[in-house]
């Protein structure tokens, strides 16, 4: 068994614009100045209440949950209106299919919701490639290892047989906590240095480099 678990946004797909717009709407609903888009991007990967807590430290749990609901409504409305673009990063589909063809089992561990992840994977034509999907709907926020531990269980893989691939320090920390190899990608939201410091064995520059590294 060889299991590769991917983060979604910032690793498989580029969805930063709709994320930033939905977060700005959540802040506007409470008449609070929105953080910079750079700050919003840095919080991507966390579950929504945790991301809002990072962006608005003075908020309490009730406000974080209320703002998260506004975010979800804004994002869902934008999707229904055809304003959400979450394209695969160039080369990602070839890498996924290359791993699949070489006997790798694939999974996803993401701070997105079940509904959001399902829509994203279906829209990009890659939903059939994954055997385990773990989201914020059923687990604590990254970097807690619960998502990755459940992915191991569902896939029937041991930690030593798995690798976590992501673009944030939260992904790398989650992998370390679950005793799983961690590989960072440099096309997402956190700097390669942060990924290395958080436990990445390597930070790849392209999906093709990732495929080559895993097939060695």
């Amino acid at each position: 068994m060889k299991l590769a678990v991917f983060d979604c946004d910032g690793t498989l797909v580029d969805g930063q614009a709709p994320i930033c717009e939905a977060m700005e709407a959540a802040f506007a609903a409470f008449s609070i100045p929105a953080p910079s888009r750079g700050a919003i991007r840095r919080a991507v990967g966390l579950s929504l209440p945790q991301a809002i807590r990072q962006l608005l430290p003075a908020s309490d749990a009730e406000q974080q949950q209320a703002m998260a609901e506004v975010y979800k409504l804004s994002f869902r409305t934008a999707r229904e209106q055809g304003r959400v673009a979450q394209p695969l990063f160039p080369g990602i589909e070839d890498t996924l299919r290359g791993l699949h063809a070489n006997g790798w089992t694939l999974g996803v561990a993401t701070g997105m919701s079940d509904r959001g992840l399902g829509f994203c994977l279906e829209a990009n034509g890659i939903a059939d490639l994954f055997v385990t999907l773990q989201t914020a709907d059923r687990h604590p926020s990254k970097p807690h290892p619960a998502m990755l531990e459940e992915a191991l269980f569902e896939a029937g893989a041991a930690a030593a047989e798995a690798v976590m691939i992501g673009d944030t320090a939260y992904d790398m920390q989650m992998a370390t906590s679950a005793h799983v190899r961690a590989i960072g990608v440099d096309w997402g939201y956190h700097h390669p240095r942060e990924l290395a410091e958080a436990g990445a064995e390597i930070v790849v520059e392209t999906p093709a480099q990732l495929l080559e590294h895993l097939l060695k």
Side-chain angles (χ1 to χ4, degrees), residues 7 50 52 63 67 72 77 118 150 165 173 206:
D7 170 57
Q50 286 72 26
I52 292 166
Q63 183 176 16
M67 293 178 72
K72 288 188 282 189
T77 300
E150 184 64 18
I165 300 137
Q173 292 162 352
T206 66

Side-chain angles (χ1 to χ4, degrees), residues 172 183-186 191-193 195-196 200-205 209:
M172 306 299 100
I183 294 178
V185 304
D186 82 344
H191 192 278
R193 180 184 65 254
L195 303 180
E201 66 178 42
I202 186 175
V203 179
V204 296
E205 297 179 357
Q209 185 184 359

Side-chain angles (χ1 to χ4, degrees), residues 24 26-35 56 63 67:
E24 288 164 352
F27 273 74
F30 286 79
S31 301
I32 302 171
L56 191 63
Q63 183 176 16
M67 293 178 72

Side-chain angles (χ1 to χ4, degrees), residues 12-126:
L12 296 178
V13 304
D14 181 4
Q16 62 177 300
I19 287 172
C20 289
E21 290 167 5
M23 190 63 77
E24 288 164 352
F27 273 74
F30 286 79
S31 301
I32 302 171
S36 69
R37 290 203 163 188
I40 294 172
R41 286 192 291 268
R42 286 199 57 78
V44 172
L46 296 172
S47 299
L48 272 175
Q50 286 72 26
I52 292 166
R53 181 172 61 195
Q54 178 169 300
L55 295 168
L56 191 63
S59 61
D60 59 21
E62 182 178 356
Q63 183 176 16
Q64 291 156 18
Q65 190 59 48
M67 293 178 72
E69 292 303 318
V70 175
Y71 175 103
K72 288 188 282 189
L73 176 59
S74 176
F75 201 101
R76 184 164 61 247
T77 300
R79 181 191 294 137
E80 291 169 351
Q81 295 175 349
R83 295 187 288 109
V84 170
Q86 295 172 300
L88 295 172
F89 285 105
I92 281 292
E93 183 169 1
D94 288 343
T95 292
L96 293 173
R97 296 196 181 279
L99 289 171
H100 189 266
N102 280 275
W104 282 77
T105 298
L106 306 181
V108 176
T110 175
M112 298 168 71
S113 66
D114 286 332
R115 181 176 180 177
L117 176 61
F119 183 91
C120 179
L121 298 181
E122 289 287 350
N124 282 293
I126 57 172

